[in-house]
Amino acid sequence: MSTSTRTPLIAVTMGDGAGVGPEVIVGALLAPETAAFCRPVVIGDAARLRRAAGVLGVRPEVVTVPGVGEAVFEAGRINVIDPGLLPEDLPWGKVSPVAGHASYEYVRLAGELAMSGDVQAICTAPLNKEALHAAGHVYPGHTELLAHLTGTEEVSMMLSTSKVKVIHVTTHIGLIDAVARIEPGLVERTIRRGEAAIRGSGVARPRIGVCGINPHAGENGLFGYGEEEEKIVPAVERLQAEGMDVHGPLPADTAFFLAGRGDYDLIVAMYHDQGHGPVKILGLEAGVNITVGLPVIRTSVDHGTAFDIAGKGLADAGSMIEALRQAAELSSARGV
């Protein structure tokens, strides 16, 4: 049965071909529920997807198409735009500059399709940063790469699970550098991006909790050197004065406990591990990474290339299914 032409077209990038990306894509695109909410077109390698299908013990029809307009959406069929960048004998679970370059090209092509309006969203399988860098593409990750490709000056990473959503003020930099980079303007802009994203998902007035930097959010100067008062409080007070339902700075452990029981729609984390740790405990199997602030919609699985299990048929497609679902929902909410 054909998928409705009213569902969003989504470019699905294959990520690093040596990782679990091909497997989770095959698993997600063959899941019956996926066809109900989107029309996915893979930007990747057709032969690699067939090999992934083999390790999963399934036999989809993997069809190479020249463009999105030529894709046909039927049960059991996977449409692929294949630039022909991977060797057939690429080993599973090994860092490869060839695979790193291919992962970059998949994202670049998907970005072009999204910017031109040929697809309504991008959904990315994981790339490997070491392989990406070995290929000469020195970006910390998808978030920064897509910002560069779309000419966007500043974006934020949001992690989304059924229990909690977290947006990060800083992401792929060292902790000392993160503390130095945090300042009221960046905190304010991050909260605004997060609030707009949550409103875009259907929450009329999001409740937002903002984490501190130090243990116990500094506990009135007991820990740290006044970072909360200097770097966070001015942003929170400014947004509160505008009527935004924002609270903080809060001790991070308290903030995530409150969010887990439903008190907040969004938590603002100051640095990478402050946000990622709780999210991966609360919902890794269905976690989704959303890049907020881009001119296009981009979601991703919330896991890495998992080289240790790649090619073994063990990867769980749940996060990819959820990433596709949220990409489709964001597309519909935005009206693209």
Side-chain angles (χ1 to χ4, degrees):
M1 184 173 64
S2 297
T3 304
S4 168
T5 56
R6 289 188 295 272
T7 58
L9 280 162
I10 298 177
V12 185
T13 60
M14 198 179 75
D16 194 298
V20 296
E23 293 168 78
V24 298
I25 286 174
V26 169
L29 268 55
L30 293 183
E33 61 265 38
T34 300
F37 54 75
C38 71
R39 291 173 291 154
V41 178
V42 181
I43 317 297
D45 189 88
R48 197 67 176 177
L49 292 168
R50 293 188 188 101
R51 190 172 169 188
V55 302
L56 292 171
V58 295
R59 295 181 60 120
E61 182 186 10
V62 179
V63 181
T64 302
V65 296
V68 173
E70 289 73 34
V72 176
F73 300 94
E74 297 174 339
R77 173 175 167 134
I78 296 175
N79 298 282
V80 189
I81 297 174
D82 183 354
L85 298 173
L86 292 184
E88 288 196 21
D89 62 351
L90 179 74
W92 296 106
K94 303 289 185 182
V95 173
S96 163
V98 173
H101 175 66
S103 67
Y104 169 86
E105 286 295 315
Y106 301 153
V107 176
R108 185 185 64 79
L109 291 169
E112 290 179 356
L113 290 171
M115 291 293 283
S116 67
D118 291 329
V119 298
Q120 283 74 62
I122 301 169
C123 184
T124 61
L127 51 74
N128 182 278
K129 296 178 182 65
E130 185 179 352
L132 185 71
H133 294 179
H137 306 294
V138 185
Y139 298 93
H142 271 117
T143 303
E144 297 82 4
L145 172 55
L146 281 162
H148 170 74
L149 291 172
T150 59
T152 308
E153 185 175 342
E154 190 174 271
V155 296
S156 298
M157 176 189 294
M158 179 184 288
L159 302 181
S160 174
T161 74
S162 60
K163 290 185 178 180
V164 63
K165 291 179 173 58
V166 184
I167 193 167
H168 294 70
V169 174
T170 67
T171 49
H172 295 121
I173 56 175
L175 184 56
I176 292 174
D177 295 330
V179 174
R181 183 173 295 184
I182 297 166
E183 50 86 19
L186 178 58
V187 173
E188 179 182 343
R189 294 191 300 274
T190 303
I191 297 172
R192 288 188 188 278
R193 280 191 288 270
E195 195 264 353
I198 300 297
R199 278 193 291 105
S201 69
V203 179
R205 191 166 186 265
R207 299 162 298 168
I208 301 170
V210 181
C211 292
I213 296 172
N214 295 296
H216 300 192
E219 199 162 304
N220 298 316
L222 183 62
F223 304 115
Y225 299 92
E227 288 89 353
E228 281 75 18
E229 289 295 323
E230 174 191 346
K231 296 171 177 284
I232 301 173
V233 169
V236 170
E237 290 181 344
R238 189 176 299 117
L239 295 170
Q240 287 174 336
E242 293 180 11
M244 194 177 292
D245 191 359
V246 55
H247 305 268
L250 305 169
D253 51 356
T254 301
F256 281 100
F257 168 75
L258 294 174
R261 75 179 189 184
D263 290 12
Y264 292 112
D265 300 300
L266 177 69
I267 293 296
V268 181
M270 291 296 126
Y271 52 90
H272 183 281
D273 285 12
Q274 188 181 62
H276 277 62
V279 166
K280 292 192 175 185
I281 291 171
L282 289 171
L284 176 63
E285 71 285 349
V288 175
N289 182 336
I290 303 169
T291 305
V292 180
L294 291 172
V296 300
I297 293 167
R298 177 260 173 165
T299 67
S300 178
V301 295
D302 184 26
H303 60 73
T305 48
F307 276 178
D308 57 326
I309 63 170
K312 298 178 181 178
L314 301 176
D316 188 336
S319 183
M320 177 57 77
I321 294 171
E322 186 60 25
L324 286 164
R325 185 192 310 278
Q326 292 204 30
E329 290 177 352
L330 289 168
S331 301
S332 299
R334 191 182 287 189
V336 297

